[in-house]
Amino acid sequence: MSVQDGNQGIVIAIDGPSGSGKSSTAKGVARARDLRYLDTGAMYRALTWWMLDHGVDVEDAAAVAALVEQPVIEMGTDPSAPTVTVDGRDVAAEIRGKDVTGSVSAVSAVPEARALLVRTQREVIEAARRESAGIVVEGRDITTVVAPEAPVKLFLTASPEARAMRRSKEVRTSDVAATQADLARRDKLDSSRAHSPLTQTADATELDTTGLSLDEVIGLVVKLADEAGQARQA
Ligand SMILES: Nc1ncnc2c1ncn2[C@@H]1O[C@H](COP(=O)(O)OP(=O)(O)OP(=O)(O)O)[C@@H](O)[C@H]1O
Ligand SMILES: Nc1ccn([C@H]2C[C@H](O)[C@@H](COP(=O)(O)O)O2)c(=O)n1
């Protein structure tokens, strides 16, 4: 059996704060080992986009809760070309805008929104496993709620300064301080909400990526995945 065979049906769960490198790492690992990829943050962003597009006050949890079932959110899990659609419309660009980023923590704190999206995320994971494909899933509650039984569980971190520098470079802003403040704002909301807050648990391997290149981080995670695959084969 090859290393790839050991990874068949594997679930790699990655959590961590904003800008720690979850999406880039998850995509790189999925590409390296021919796995599927699920960006759960994009699902919360897609739901938020729909709420804003329909004029819903996202600070009104009851209003959000009443409408969560309305949009049809679909995720494409090819790590080289992930997609996100709402009611058939490609919203990949819109969900990265300031309005959605400013409102997504409020929507993701609504229990009905979480229940719905966690259910959908588990369905995507099961579909991948039925096809014998493994999947890398990243977000804030993957190791704790969505897939706590995953054989590989990681908590990615990086210093606030490193995360702000990386994100500023990505969005081409020189205002690193403002970027750092926005990351801190979202981390605080995501870690302090009542339902499924971002939490680091003892059974998830912490990976501090501050001094590491993206390729180095991907290499470390691939190694962990291969070791878990070999243990599954033994
Ligand atoms: N180890 C690394 N070294 C340098 N840059 C990195 C590293 N990891 C990720 N990056 C870069 O940092 C930026 C943020 O990474 P990414 O979007 O993967 O983080 P994230 O944790 O998924 O963020 P969010 O939770 O906000 O979606 C990207 O531009 C990415 O290319
Ligand atoms: N599993 C998840 C994934 C994401 N969220 C929330 C919290 C984030 O601020 C927001 C956007 O995620 P990002 O695109 O920055 O990864 O979505 C969550 O609550 N649970």
Side-chain angles (χ1 to χ4, degrees):
M1 276 204 187
S2 69
V3 163
Q4 268 81 357
D5 291 334
N7 286 325
Q8 276 190 4
I10 198 169
V11 178
I12 300 175
I14 305 181
D15 286 327
S18 303
S20 54
K22 301 179 298 296
S23 309
S24 329
T25 303
K27 273 188 272 194
V29 171
R31 278 195 292 259
R33 285 293 176 260
D34 200 17
L35 307 173
R36 313 307 297 177
Y37 159 67
L38 182 63
D39 175 356
T40 62
M43 299 173 77
Y44 286 95
R45 286 174 178 273
L47 183 60
T48 303
W49 174 84
W50 186 93
M51 293 289 164
L52 294 174
D53 193 55
H54 284 71
V56 179
D57 174 5
V58 296
E59 299 298 332
D60 181 347
V64 171
L67 292 167
V68 288
E69 303 269 356
Q70 297 261 321
V72 177
I73 298 170
E74 290 176 304
M75 305 299 294
T77 59
D78 175 350
S80 295
T83 56
V84 49
T85 63
V86 179
D87 299 332
R89 172 174 166 174
D90 176 357
V91 294
E94 284 102 321
I95 64 169
R96 303 291 161 194
K98 272 200 174 134
D99 290 348
V100 170
T101 299
S103 299
V104 65
S105 290
V107 172
S108 57
V110 176
E112 289 81 357
R114 302 206 69 79
L116 176 87
L117 293 184
V118 168
R119 198 168 68 228
T120 312
Q121 288 153 14
R122 288 183 177 148
E123 284 168 6
V124 174
I125 293 169
E126 273 319 302
R129 297 189 72 192
R130 267 198 308 277
E131 294 166 14
S132 295
I135 187 162
V136 190
V137 188
E138 54 94 359
R140 304 293 190 292
D141 62 344
I142 313 306
T143 60
T144 53
V145 175
V146 177
E149 308 300 328
V152 181
K153 294 176 34 161
L154 296 168
F155 194 90
L156 244 57
T157 61
S159 70
E161 295 77 16
R163 293 191 281 129
M165 286 298 287
R166 292 172 184 174
R167 182 50 47 83
S168 300
K169 197 171 155 201
E170 181 184 4
V171 300
R172 296 199 186 118
T173 175
S174 53
D175 197 346
V176 182
T179 306
Q180 189 168 332
D182 187 57
L183 292 177
R185 176 192 69 82
R186 215 141 53 85
D187 287 348
K188 191 170 173 210
L189 289 170
D190 296 340
S191 307
S192 62
R193 66 178 175 232
H195 298 273
S196 316
L198 171 67
T199 319
Q200 182 171 5
T201 54
D203 63 349
T205 304
E206 178 176 333
L207 197 47
D208 183 348
T209 71
T210 307
L212 301 175
S213 71
L214 180 55
D215 283 346
E216 286 172 328
V217 179
I218 292 169
L220 286 172
V221 179
V222 165
K223 190 165 172 278
L224 289 173
D226 288 349
E227 284 167 4
Q230 279 155 12
R232 278 149 49 96
Q233 283 177 315

